[in-house]
Amino acid sequence: MARIFHLMFASFVLVALATPNVSAQEETPATDAPAETQAAETESAAAPEPQGPRPLVTFMFTNANEFLADLKFLMGEGHDEDKALENLQLLLLDPYLVGLDPKNPPVPRDKPSGAVVYLEDAKLQSVLFFPVLNEAEFFDTISDVGIDNKEVGGGFYAISGEVLPNSHARLANGYVYFAESKSLLLRDLPKPEELFHDFLEKKYDVAAHIDGSSTSIEQRRDAFREFRKETTGSMKKLKDEEELDFQIRQSVVEFQLDEIERYFSESKMIELGWTTDVEGKRGVVHIELEALPDTELAKTIEVLEQTDGDANTTVTKDYVSFSSTHFLFDPMRQKHMLAISELLRKKAHEQIDVDEQIADADKENAKKVSDLIFSLLDANTNEGTLFGWMKVLKNDEKQHTLLGQTTVKNVPQIVTILTDSGVAELNVDKVADKADIHKVAIYGDYDGLKGQFGDDLAIYIATGTGELQDRVWVGLGHDAVAEIKKAIEVNEAAGPVAAQLRIKVGSWVDALIDPESKKAEAPEKKTRRPRRGRRRARGAKKKEAYDIGRIAWQTLGNVDDDILVITLEKVAENRVVVHEDIDTGLLRFIGKVLAQEINANLK
């Protein structure tokens, strides 16, 4: 849940910063005439106007030297990694950094680049800025990449070309500022050392801040809906995409956009920051959100218990992952989740029909099991809350058990769903006066799944009785019934923290990776040339998947620094914080994949 939270916010910020190509242009001829006309002028710039409204979005990116140092840390040492950094610097960075100020240490994180986005007249308008050391060299360099420019006096430049048509630039504060609307550059421009003070104090390498108090809810909602029209209007069925797949994709995008619109419109403040902690050998993501009072977003936070600092981030060797959630499904979320569930239910039936690992005689029962699972999930969605935990256990023989528990309002409804399914064996076991245990067989000869969870491929569901009549447990895999019984006796609760995930990623890599990828060296390349382009493309995909699997095993297999921890906590009224801690092994994996991609694409 927290991961989705993080990705949605990052996606919105990136989209918002791309608005120079989307926003409408100013109509005032003296301000936004075509660049060619302005280039012919020699007038001095008008005196700067007073500072306009506060920016809606502020974005910062670390300086060039800091960026390269972080990349070197991520990639580590080795022939491929050194070659990737050399390629990146020689072919991409050096040609485009001419004239910019990379700001060498010992002043780390000084001279970052950035952007601000204003919401004015229902339009998102951006100003981008970069530190400049030699303006002549800088403007000569951007001319070589299709950004034509000409000085028009007073530190202003007219910008034209395919990349930034009919735009403008201004030199000030040791930076060059770009905007589509010249009126934005006539103001007192943001001074990066002041604008980014808080970001730099928190040691962010990349950061964004959305100031919801700079505009009204209605203004932000109207602006987002314009953006939404562009997004959904461009969605089309892909060439080889099935109609049902397109409907699923479309429904998921609509859900995401509704969530993002609420965050964007009803937040007083959102802050997102990434830090590459070289000294601590970890990556850290921090997201903070404060909802405006008396909004639907505030209502979703209101039900959470304040737990700042209470999240347990301990990871022990006897489990692969642990997650817990205490979250609200309001009517908007319920509507989308139930609609997507119905589509996925149909997709599951289609996949069962073509699944060669399921015997024809078992396909109808397999569909009933699928329907049962979706019905249980829908029942939980309709209750309006998700309050429970799930863990994957692993013993010394690398045998796995999935175990979970949730609190529900209507356990008898769960029993009815099991009874009506036609595929559940009721009351196969019990814990006296506490719970009845039921069994649902999994149809299909899934050797890989059996290898990890044992030959008894069945889902065990326990429904609480007596004092535990609001609890449901689920188990799958090695000694699932015994583990469920232990959980029932202990009656472990999810706890008050809104959401947390603790995962030992290397254990998943060990369980799921192709055995061939665990070999020290990649297989020799075949010299035979594929006869058709499609076959060649398939071969490239297989090779790419194999290489990533090999890197995953080399960086995450049999290591101790492979922990990912994500928490979502309510820290004050209407305020939540998402914190993500990424261990060294995961950063190594990211760095080596980057090196592989850089070498492949810059070859």
Side-chain angles (χ1 to χ4, degrees), residues 260-458:
I260 297 171
E261 179 180 335
R262 183 157 64 183
Y263 295 140
F264 179 57
S265 304
E266 299 181 6
S267 291
K268 181 178 179 180
M269 177 277 295
I270 304 172
E271 181 173 294
L272 182 151
W274 161 271
T275 302
T276 306
D277 182 359
V278 176
E279 185 176 341
K281 296 184 177 181
R282 62 179 190 149
V284 177
V285 176
H286 181 86
I287 303 173
E288 193 162 350
L289 177 149
E290 181 177 355
L292 288 165
D294 304 318
T295 59
E296 292 300 316
L297 181 59
K299 291 177 184 177
T300 67
I301 298 174
E302 183 181 353
V303 299
L304 305 178
E305 186 173 334
Q306 187 168 325
T307 57
D308 186 18
D310 289 347
N312 178 11
T313 58
T314 304
V315 177
T316 59
K317 67 178 182 179
D318 61 337
Y319 64 72
V320 177
S321 64
F322 175 84
S323 61
S324 69
T325 307
H326 187 182
F327 213 72
L328 173 67
F329 296 147
D330 67 348
M332 183 272 284
R333 289 171 178 158
Q334 287 176 313
K335 180 190 74 173
H336 282 296
M337 293 174 69
L338 292 171
I340 292 171
S341 173
E342 183 61 29
L343 293 172
L344 291 175
R345 188 187 294 243
K346 294 177 182 177
K347 184 64 180 178
H349 280 216
E350 287 186 358
Q351 291 179 324
I352 290 169
D353 282 334
V354 298
D355 193 335
E356 296 179 355
Q357 295 181 94
I358 302 176
D360 290 342
D362 291 333
K363 288 188 183 293
E364 284 306 311
N365 279 337
K367 290 178 183 179
K368 290 179 180 179
V369 171
S370 172
D371 287 342
L372 167 61
I373 293 170
F374 279 108
S375 294
L376 293 172
L377 293 173
D378 290 348
N380 198 90
T381 299
N382 281 320
E383 289 209 343
T385 58
L386 178 60
F387 184 28
W389 55 262
M390 181 171 289
K391 61 180 75 173
V392 178
L393 308 170
K394 181 181 71 172
N395 62 20
D396 293 337
E397 286 74 41
K398 295 185 177 180
Q399 296 171 313
H400 295 79
T401 308
L402 183 148
L403 193 64
Q405 178 264 327
T406 185
T407 300
V408 299
K409 300 173 186 174
N410 192 349
V411 169
Q413 181 189 18
I414 303 299
V415 176
T416 299
I417 292 172
L418 290 169
T419 303
D420 294 345
S421 70
V423 288
E425 296 181 55
L426 302 181
N427 303 315
V428 296
D429 210 329
K430 68 184 302 181
V431 176
D433 301 322
K434 292 185 177 180
D436 297 320
I437 302 175
H438 321 287
K439 178 180 179 180
V440 179
I442 296 177
Y443 292 88
D445 189 17
Y446 298 105
D447 291 336
L449 198 59
K450 289 180 179 179
Q452 299 300 327
F453 289 95
D455 293 334
D456 180 20
L457 279 187

Side-chain angles (χ1 to χ4, degrees), residues 1-6 8 325 327 329 386 498-499 566 568:
M1 189 69 69
R3 181 69 173 169
I4 294 172
F5 199 76
H6 155 50
M8 289 193 299
T325 307
F327 213 72
F329 296 147
L386 178 60
I566 303 173
L568 167 62

Side-chain angles (χ1 to χ4, degrees), residues 3 312-316 319-323 390-392 500-509 512 556 559-566 580-583 586:
R3 181 69 173 169
N312 178 11
T313 58
T314 304
V315 177
T316 59
Y319 64 72
V320 177
S321 64
F322 175 84
S323 61
M390 181 171 289
K391 61 180 75 173
V392 178
Q500 57 181 315
L501 169 67
R502 311 193 299 273
I503 178 170
K504 187 169 173 57
V505 180
S507 295
W508 284 103
V509 170
L512 301 176
L556 297 169
V559 298
D560 294 323
D561 54 1
D562 60 342
I563 308 302
L564 173 66
V565 177
I566 303 173
E580 182 175 348
D581 205 308
I582 305 168
D583 212 344
L586 294 165

Side-chain angles (χ1 to χ4, degrees), residues 156-197:
F156 284 83
Y157 288 75
I159 306 297
S160 60
E162 293 183 4
V163 179
L164 291 173
N166 299 327
S167 297
H168 310 270
R170 179 185 172 192
L171 290 168
N173 307 320
Y175 277 72
V176 59
Y177 297 79
F178 289 91
E180 190 174 13
S181 170
K182 189 176 179 182
S183 63
L184 295 176
L185 302 181
L186 291 169
R187 301 171 175 172
D188 289 333
L189 295 170
K191 296 179 176 61
E193 66 273 16
E194 299 174 4
L195 186 67
F196 298 148
H197 177 268

